[in-house]
């Protein structure tokens, strides 16, 4: 055979051999990180320099590796372009729809924070609110703060359980069972609050950490605030959040009336104010359920809640998470206030500069956390229409679309969080122009500890919100165990780190525990979120 004809026959054969080894390399290492990795893989397949020349038409293994590398990269680039076009199939609406959704749900998130903001405004204007007063001394502040923290911790599990059950039945349009679930939880939660108050009182009799008069005042605040939190959690779950604000504002107005017009004194005014808010919120919840059940005629059908064992299994993880979450929020304060120089017989003593720094940072938390309302609603709104388009052959594209969605939410969180910290810092700092006219403002900025605690707490809260963002996605698809274990571990880290830092470096460094715990929470939920969105199709179809 002439040499020219032989060469013509060898070229297709060698081209086919190059394509074959390209596919084999791609199967082994996927998208290569370098040409050297490709060359090493080719050598591991038994190809030598002489083979590269005779079988593939290249002078060496490295020349062959360079060709294989380029082919794989070209293939990856083309695949990415096709995927981008295919992923666009799952987009619903443009930038206009996104902005509209963000404005709507961010505003709704801010409405949830308005009760707290209303208390800040009341403090600034009238010097008192439902459970705060500028003129409290440190003993009184300790009493009220202790009652407040204990109320959140004791009711945290019940609040999360109520949120789960009520939102579940409301989502099904079954207000009858939502009402029954509310009553069932309240029958356990309310007695638990009173029994806990009596238990704390009894323990203080045996081991007198505080004078009995102080512990009695603290337990009254604890019981009243607990009842308010439980009633408000019902309206929050039913998305009647504006009425929570109305109840809180009405209670605050009663406090102002009791102090400025009726002369009732701060304790009685605040107790009656909290009761007023609780009654208004509870009455509205009762009427809301009655009207919904009657309108849908749901009382005509015999319905009952699941058996106790089933209800326990379905909700205990939410309860544990709620208890740990609220304990987590107050852990740094407990560490700081127990590390300072209090009177010897008091185990926890309020520290004003530390609390001012934490409250200052809390404003940035509220501004940022409102965006989670948008993220979780946007996720839920996209899930069902995307699922309808996700035939079996496009499940990977379905997952990839939501991974991109998740990354966008992280970027949005960083932007909103950064802006909120700056707005909070400079917004409060601008009040210094009034410090000569308002002594309380001068006192606020008097201690450098307040500034240090603000910046450290703001960082910790930003990590915490990222963890909460992940948690809301897990809760949406009924995966509470992912959140529960992450929060338990984070609470432990918060406690250990806060305890050590507050004892070794100073009480203000208890906030390092918040940072460390929040960082652990964000990392652990972030790792879970990566797996969650990678296999979202599985988690979605197995959620219910």
């Amino acid at each position: 055979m002439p040499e020219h004809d032989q060469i013509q026959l060898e070229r297709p054969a060698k081209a086919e051999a190059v394509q074959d080894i390209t596919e084999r390399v791609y199967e082994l290492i996927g998208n290569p990180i370098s040409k050297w990795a490709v060359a090493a893989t080719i050598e591991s397949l038994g190809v030598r320099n002489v083979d590269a020349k005779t079988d593939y038409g290249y002078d060496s293994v490295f020349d062959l590796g360079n060709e294989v590398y380029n082919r794989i990269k070209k293939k990856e680039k083309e695949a990415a372009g096709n995927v981008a076009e295919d992923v666009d199939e799952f987009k619903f609406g443009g930038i206009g729809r996104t902005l509209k959704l963000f404005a709507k749900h961010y505003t709704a998130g801010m409405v949830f924070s308005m009760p707290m903001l209303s208390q800040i405004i009341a403090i600034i204007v009238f010097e008192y609110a439902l459970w705060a007063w500028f003129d409290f001394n440190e003993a009184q502040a300790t009493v009220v703060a202790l009652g407040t923290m204990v109320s959140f911790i004791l009711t945290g599990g019940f609040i999360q359980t109520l949120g789960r059950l009520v939102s579940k039945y409301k989502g099904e349009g079954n207000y009858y069972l939502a009402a029954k679930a509310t009553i069932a939880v309240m029958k356990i939660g309310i007695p638990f609050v009173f029994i806990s108050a009596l238990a704390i009182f009894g323990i203080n009799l045996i081991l007198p950490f505080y004078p009995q008069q102080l512990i009695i005042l603290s337990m009254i605040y604890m019981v009243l605030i607990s009842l308010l939190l439980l009633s408000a959690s019902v309206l929050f779950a039913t998305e009647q959040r504006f009425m929570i604000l109305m109840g809180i504002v009405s209670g605050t107005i009663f406090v102002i009336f009791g102090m400025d017009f009726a002369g009732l004194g701060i304790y009685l005014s605040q107790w009656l104010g909290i009761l007023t808010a609780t009654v208004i919120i509870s009455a509205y919840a009762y009427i809301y359920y009655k009207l919904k059940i009657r309108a849908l005629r749901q009382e005509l059908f015999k319905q009952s809640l699941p058996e106790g064992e089933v209800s326990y299994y379905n909700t205990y993880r939410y309860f544990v998470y709620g208890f740990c979450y609220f304990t987590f929020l107050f852990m740094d304060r407990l560490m700081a206030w127990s590390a300072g120089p209090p009177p010897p017989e008091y185990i926890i003593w309020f520290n004003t500069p530390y609390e001012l720094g934490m409250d200052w940072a809390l404003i940035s938390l509220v501004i940022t956390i409102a965006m989670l309302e948008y993220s979780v609603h946007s996720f839920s709104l996209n899930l069902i229409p995307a699922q309808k388009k996700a035939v079996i052959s496009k499940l990977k594209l379905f997952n990839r679309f939501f991974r991109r969605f998740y990354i966008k939410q992280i970027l949005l969180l960083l932007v909103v969080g950064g802006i909120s910290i700056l707005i909070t810092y400079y917004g409060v700092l601008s009040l210094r122009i009034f410090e000569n006219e308002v002594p309380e403002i001068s006192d606020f900025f008097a201690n450098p500890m307040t500034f240090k605690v603000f910046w450290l707490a703001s960082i910790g809260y930003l990590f915490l919100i990222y963890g909460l963002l992940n948690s809301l996605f897990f809760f949406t698809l009924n995966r509470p165990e992912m959140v529960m274990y992450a929060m338990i571990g984070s609470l432990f880290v918060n406690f250990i780190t806060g305890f050590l830092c507050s004892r070794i470096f100073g009480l203000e460094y208890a906030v390092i525990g918040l940072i460390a715990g929040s960082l652990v929470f964000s990392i652990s939920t972030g790792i879970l979120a990566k797996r969650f969105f990678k296999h979202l199709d599985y988690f979605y179809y197995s959620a219910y």
Side-chain angles (χ1 to χ4, degrees), residues 318-432:
Y318 293 91
F319 184 92
V320 172
Y321 166 75
F323 171 79
C324 292
Y325 172 70
F326 284 104
T327 305
F328 182 95
L329 286 181
F330 293 109
M331 182 58 69
D332 66 284
R333 289 175 172 87
L334 294 173
M335 295 298 99
W337 296 352
S338 60
E345 67 271 23
Y346 298 145
I347 189 172
I348 293 174
W349 195 251
F350 187 85
N351 184 280
T352 301
Y354 187 90
E355 180 60 24
L356 290 176
M358 293 300 298
D359 291 343
W360 190 359
L362 195 62
I363 299 174
S364 70
L365 170 71
V366 168
I367 296 174
T368 307
I369 209 169
M371 68 139 287
L372 300 188
E373 189 82 10
Y374 159 74
S375 295
V376 72
H377 275 86
S378 182
F379 178 64
S380 300
L381 286 173
N382 284 329
L383 260 180
I384 295 178
Q387 176 266 331
K388 290 180 178 178
K389 289 188 176 183
V391 295
I392 293 178
S393 61
K394 294 187 177 181
L395 288 181
K396 289 185 177 180
L397 299 176
F398 172 83
N399 294 338
R400 188 174 284 113
F401 168 77
F402 279 101
R403 286 204 298 273
R404 290 187 178 185
F405 166 84
Y406 173 61
I407 292 171
K408 290 176 183 177
Q409 303 314 301
I410 296 174
L411 296 175
L412 178 63
L413 172 61
L414 292 174
V415 172
V416 174
I419 292 173
S420 70
I421 292 173
L422 294 176
I423 289 176
T424 301
Y425 178 73
Y426 289 106
V428 173
L429 200 64
S430 67
L431 297 176
R432 299 192 81 163

Side-chain angles (χ1 to χ4, degrees), residues 198-212 215:
L198 290 173
I200 294 171
F201 178 80
I203 292 171
N204 197 70
L205 279 175
I206 301 170
L207 302 171
F209 297 115
Y210 296 95
Q212 287 302 112
I215 208 70

Side-chain angles (χ1 to χ4, degrees), residues 255-313:
V255 176
I256 296 168
F257 173 80
M259 286 291 290
D260 291 349
F261 301 100
L264 298 178
I266 188 63
Y267 292 134
L268 191 56
S269 296
Q270 288 187 331
W271 296 343
L272 292 175
I274 297 171
L275 273 176
T276 299
T278 303
V279 169
I280 290 173
I281 291 172
S282 300
Y284 181 84
Y286 176 80
I287 295 170
Y288 173 82
Y289 276 131
K290 277 288 183 183
L291 293 177
K292 284 290 186 180
I293 292 170
R294 184 176 299 172
L296 298 172
R297 302 174 66 84
Q298 292 178 343
E299 75 278 6
L300 301 178
F301 304 97
K302 187 177 180 180
Q303 301 178 78
S304 60
L305 295 171
E307 293 295 326
E309 294 83 357
V310 177
S311 295
Y312 166 79
Y313 179 78

Side-chain angles (χ1 to χ4, degrees), residues 25 29 31-41 65-66 68-69 73:
V25 169
I29 65 173
N31 191 3
I33 58 174
S34 68
K35 297 177 181 179
W36 300 100
V38 174
T41 304
N66 185 52
V68 171
Y69 176 86
K73 286 297 181 181

